[in-house]
Amino acid sequence: MPVLTDEEKATLRVEHFIFHSVHHGKPDPTLRNRVHIGKFEPFFVARVIDTLKGNRFVFDTASPTLAALRGAEEDPTTFVEMSKELARQFHREDDQTKHDGRFKRGILMVAILRAGDRRFHSLIKFDHGGQVIDIVEEDADATLAEVLNPLTENKKALQKSALIELDADGGRLVVIDHSKRSGITDFFQEFLGAQRAKEAPELTDAVVRGVLATVRAHATELPPQVCAQWRERLTDIALRRQEFDADQVFSDLFGAGGTEAVRSTWDAQLAANDVEGEGFSFDHGSLPSTGPRKYRTAENIEITVPPGAKDTFVWDEQDDGSVIVTIRTSSLVAR
């Protein structure tokens, strides 16, 4: 997926930029021939970098958006016409006969950016409640300042964004859709012509691996109940929350034990398991099994507790941080 190093983020620059007005109650979008980004380039680049926190997608082979972007990448002189076609496609999704408020008036920003040898495409839909987008004359230079100034004060105005890097197989995307944080709306998915790079079972399994690695790395620091019951706690969180949110799961799972060091490991594990920034609905079938629980003490004593014997196994944390384990049994056999 499009992942940028700190150096690439610092050198990310806009090569081509334009925006068009969409979903404003008219049969067609308001199209422009050019827009001077000027002093607003840092603001726009920052919004592009924000998109890196989104969900991963890949293009369908028949995606019209993919075809349009590839054409502009091969021949940059077609950038403006490509952006107009994307605006028309985006605008068509607004059923003008219903006027049911599903789509708010706004602007579709289209850009090509470069960081070193890498080239990216950005698509951003900003909601805009002002009149300026309606009164700018078609084919005239747009006054970007009049459009962006209100947006700097309302971060929620950025409704949908996609950062795209094309490759030989098609393209990879990072997508944010605030209308459906755990995934993507049907409308935006159809417009992009893309599908999730990983489905819920694979993503859920990646989170489980990340939790286990984090618990193991901090076994001597975390409260014993977190280390011993992380599977049950994660399953309970998934059942209550239904959707994965990294900050929420971390807080619920580790509680007061979630130190900065634990958080650093957690973030690193999400990145290592390629689930950083993802939001999705948990796949309950991929959650940890409620079968036998296995424990290991600091002295490397291993204990396996079958589900039917969980009531015979208890532990008590002492004031000095040690743990007393009690196993009640009718008989004991040495092996």
Side-chain angles (χ1 to χ4, degrees):
M1 298 305 105
V3 176
L4 278 71
T5 65
D6 290 341
E7 181 180 355
E8 287 173 329
K9 292 176 184 178
T11 60
L12 191 62
R13 294 293 180 267
V14 176
E15 289 189 333
H16 302 279
F17 175 88
I18 200 166
F19 75 80
H20 307 289
S21 302
V22 292
H23 300 160
H24 47 59
K26 296 181 179 180
D28 299 301
T30 300
L31 304 175
R32 296 169 176 82
N33 285 332
R34 59 187 178 275
V35 174
H36 301 297
I37 192 170
K39 65 179 181 180
F40 288 98
E41 182 177 5
F43 171 84
F44 182 77
V45 169
R47 303 292 76 76
V48 169
I49 291 175
D50 286 343
T51 305
L52 290 169
K53 303 173 184 176
N55 298 312
R56 279 74 163 173
F57 283 75
V58 292
F59 274 121
D60 298 328
T61 55
S63 165
T65 296
L66 169 61
L69 297 179
R70 192 177 293 286
E73 190 163 283
E74 294 173 352
D75 182 2
T77 64
T78 65
F79 169 76
V80 173
E81 288 307 313
M82 175 274 291
S83 71
K84 290 181 179 181
E85 180 54 33
L86 289 182
R88 294 186 188 100
Q89 293 178 26
F90 197 92
H91 192 79
R92 288 192 197 107
E93 298 297 335
D94 186 7
D95 187 346
Q96 300 292 330
T97 65
K98 293 182 179 180
H99 299 289
D100 59 4
R102 291 179 303 155
F103 303 104
K104 294 182 179 180
R105 69 169 67 206
I107 53 179
L108 178 66
M109 295 183 173
V110 184
I112 297 178
L113 306 97
R114 180 180 290 277
D117 294 331
R118 300 176 67 186
R119 180 173 286 163
F120 304 91
H121 297 263
S122 173
L123 304 173
I124 294 181
K125 162 67 185 310
F126 266 123
D127 286 350
H128 193 294
Q131 294 298 315
V132 65
I133 62 171
D134 292 339
I135 63 175
V136 175
E137 216 174 89
E138 186 174 354
D139 295 335
D141 283 351
T143 305
L144 190 57
E146 294 181 57
V147 174
L148 285 191
N149 278 341
L151 299 179
T152 62
E153 302 170 1
N154 181 13
K155 304 305 181 185
K156 293 182 179 179
L158 193 160
Q159 273 298 304
K160 305 178 190 299
S161 61
L163 182 62
I164 301 153
E165 186 173 24
L166 303 183
D167 56 33
D169 297 325
R172 301 172 295 166
L173 311 84
V174 179
V175 176
I176 289 180
D177 190 337
H178 286 295
S179 298
K180 191 176 181 181
R181 178 62 186 91
S182 63
I184 189 173
T185 55
D186 292 343
F187 148 62
F188 199 36
Q189 184 167 9
E190 290 172 5
F191 166 73
L192 292 173
Q195 57 185 308
R196 290 293 289 256
K198 296 181 180 179
E199 297 299 332
E202 189 175 1
L203 291 167
T204 302
D205 186 61
V207 170
V208 173
R209 293 196 303 272
V211 172
L212 174 58
T214 302
V215 169
R216 284 178 172 173
H218 297 276
T220 60
E221 311 159 37
L222 290 168
Q225 60 269 30
V226 173
C227 295
Q229 295 185 319
W230 69 267
R231 293 176 178 83
E232 292 86 349
R233 293 166 73 98
L234 179 59
T235 298
D236 178 67
I237 291 168
L239 293 174
R240 286 188 293 107
R241 301 291 191 185
Q242 296 298 322
E243 296 181 353
F244 174 75
D245 178 275
D247 294 338
Q248 200 172 64
V249 169
F250 179 82
S251 177
D252 289 350
L253 185 65
F254 296 106
T259 63
E260 290 185 10
V262 175
R263 181 63 202 233
S264 178
T265 301
W266 168 249
D267 290 341
Q269 284 300 318
L270 293 183
N273 285 284
D274 202 24
V275 74
E276 181 182 23
E278 295 273 13
F280 58 92
S281 297
F282 282 105
D283 176 66
H284 292 170
S286 301
L287 292 169
S289 169
T290 56
R293 298 274 71 86
K294 296 184 178 181
Y295 305 89
R296 185 175 59 206
T297 72
E299 297 76 22
N300 286 324
I301 298 174
E302 296 186 352
I303 304 170
T304 300
V305 183
K310 64 179 182 179
D311 293 337
T312 69
F313 176 84
V314 295
W315 72 89
D316 294 304
E317 184 177 3
Q318 307 302 297
D319 293 338
D320 63 358
S322 63
V323 177
I324 294 179
V325 175
T326 303
I327 301 174
R328 177 175 49 83
T329 180
S330 59
S331 63
L332 182 66
V333 179
R335 290 189 176 181

